[in-house]
């Protein structure tokens, strides 16, 4: 288990057992890789609220003419938050930060608006930011974008982020909602218990960043991907290997979906990957920092 994962596991999992501090874990808490930095950013505003909450508005400068504002809310971990996460079987990672893989996915999508033109798009596990989904809505002619996360606290900030960028969407219908992956999910039953849901039709495109972290959720995630992806649709799943976690997820996928694994999918990402290995070996671990891209499609029936 890597030092970074031990640190995250202690901080994020309500049911995780306590693990002793060591110098390696303490170092990981200080030395954290800053990510690929593919999109220029600036701080638009910062607010200190009650109960240890700090809100930072980060401007992501997608192009000289287009900036997306993402509110990053730093929330003091409370017993009530952990209890809710435990009861709903949803981790707390979406409340912690804007994860580096989310930025890589957003950059990949903004470079390829044609993939989403006229399509119904859903982002899974968007956390509080929803950067990739909001970016798709802002740069493409998608017909609809639904940005989701399973953590109810993260979804509150996610909804705020979707709404504050509404002026960028043109004719694209954009919404945010809380959606928990569940291996028993069926659309008809879900609509009957969630009458206001936007999950009413299959999606042509599903995107997700760093959602293969926890093996306990793999079967649930694969099931909802299979149920919600249209017959000719494609899911773009971006995630680091993180030990054998991604490999295990891929094996689950292959039971119902075709899987294409891309290690090199964007020149700028590959170039920075090589630079980080050379110049930042003390900070950059490809196993937990370099996202691979999975393209998932339904298995085609052979005639």
């Amino acid at each position: 288990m890597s030092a970074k994962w031990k640190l995250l596991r202690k901080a994020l999992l309500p049911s995780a057992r306590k693990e002793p501090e060591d110098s390696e874990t303490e170092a990981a808490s200080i030395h954290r890789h800053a990510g690929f930095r593919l999109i220029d950013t600036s701080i638009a505003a910062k607010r200190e609220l009650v109960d240890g909450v700090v809100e930072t508005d980060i401007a992501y400068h997608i192009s000289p003419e287009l900036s997306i504002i993402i509110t990053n809310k730093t929330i003091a971990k409370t017993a009530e938050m952990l209890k809710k996460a435990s009861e709903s079987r949803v981790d707390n990672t979406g409340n912690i930060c804007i994860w580096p893989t989310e930025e890589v996915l957003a950059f990949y999508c903004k470079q390829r608006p044609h993939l989403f033109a006229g399509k119904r798009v859903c982002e899974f596990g968007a956390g509080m930011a929803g950067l990739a989904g909001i970016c798709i809505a802002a740069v493409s002619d998608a017909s609809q974008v639904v940005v989701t996360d399973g953590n109810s606290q993260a979804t509150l900030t996610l909804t705020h982020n979707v709404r504050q960028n509404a002026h960028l969407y043109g004719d694209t219908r954009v919404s945010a909602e809380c959606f928990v992956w569940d291996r028993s999910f069926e659309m008809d039953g879900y609509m009957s218990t969630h009458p206001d849901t936007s999950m009413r039709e299959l999606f042509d495109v599903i995107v997700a960043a760093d959602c293969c972290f926890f093996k306990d959720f793999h079967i649930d995630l694969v099931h909802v991907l299979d149920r919600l992806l249209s017959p000719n649709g494609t899911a773009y799943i971006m995630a680091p290997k993180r030990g054998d976690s991604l490999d295990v997820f891929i094996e689950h996928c292959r039971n119902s979906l075709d899987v294409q694994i891309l290690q090199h999918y964007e020149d700028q990402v590959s170039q920075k990957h090589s630079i980080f290995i050379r110049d930042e070996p003390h900070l950059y671990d490809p196993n937990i920092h370099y996202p691979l891209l999975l393209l998932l499609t339904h298995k085609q029936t052979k005639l």
Side-chain angles (χ1 to χ4, degrees), residues 235-246:
Y236 297 82
I237 310 298
M238 199 172 278
K241 289 184 70 68
R242 297 193 187 280
D244 69 344
S245 181
L246 186 62

Side-chain angles (χ1 to χ4, degrees), residues 190-207:
Y190 188 79
M191 287 192 298
S192 68
T193 57
H194 299 76
D196 297 326
T197 184
S198 297
M199 320 287 275
R200 294 180 168 276
E201 299 178 64
L202 301 180
F203 292 98
D204 305 299
V205 178
I206 296 173
V207 300

Side-chain angles (χ1 to χ4, degrees), residues 115-190:
L115 294 177
F116 314 105
K119 304 291 180 65
R120 295 190 73 252
V121 182
C122 184
E123 182 177 6
F124 284 177
M128 62 181 164
L131 179 61
I134 292 171
C135 185
I136 291 168
V139 305
S140 78
D141 294 321
S143 64
Q144 182 178 19
V145 177
V146 183
V147 192
T148 71
D149 194 79
N151 186 292
S152 58
Q153 184 66 49
T155 305
L156 293 175
T157 309
L158 177 62
T159 300
H160 168 74
N161 282 324
V162 165
R163 289 174 177 170
Q164 73 177 339
N165 291 286
H167 61 287
L168 303 175
Y169 304 149
D171 294 330
T172 301
R173 292 175 292 129
V174 186
S175 60
E177 69 177 81
C178 189
F179 177 64
V180 178
W181 311 328
D182 187 336
R183 66 193 68 186
S184 65
F185 172 87
E186 297 296 339
M187 188 177 290
D188 289 344
Y190 188 79

Side-chain angles (χ1 to χ4, degrees), residues 37 41 49 58 68 106 135 206 217 232 275 284 290 298 303:
R37 304 180 289 277
T41 62
L49 309 180
I58 304 172
I68 293 171
C135 185
I206 296 173
F217 301 153
N232 295 312
I275 292 170
Y284 182 72
Y290 183 70
H298 285 293
L303 299 178

Side-chain angles (χ1 to χ4, degrees), residues 22-36:
D22 57 35
S23 58
E24 185 182 17
T25 302
E26 290 174 358
S29 68
I30 299 170
H31 299 296
R32 178 179 173 188
H33 192 259
F36 285 79

Side-chain angles (χ1 to χ4, degrees), residues 61-96:
H61 304 294
I62 305 302
S63 72
E65 301 80 23
L66 175 64
S67 294
I68 293 171
I69 302 296
I70 297 294
T71 298
N72 182 14
K73 183 176 289 188
T74 303
I75 303 172
K77 185 173 62 175
T78 66
E80 183 63 22
M81 180 187 293
L82 295 181
K83 179 182 178 183
K84 287 181 179 179
S86 180
E87 289 173 348
S88 61
R89 294 184 63 250
V90 177
D91 65 84
N92 295 298
T93 53
N95 285 314
I96 303 304

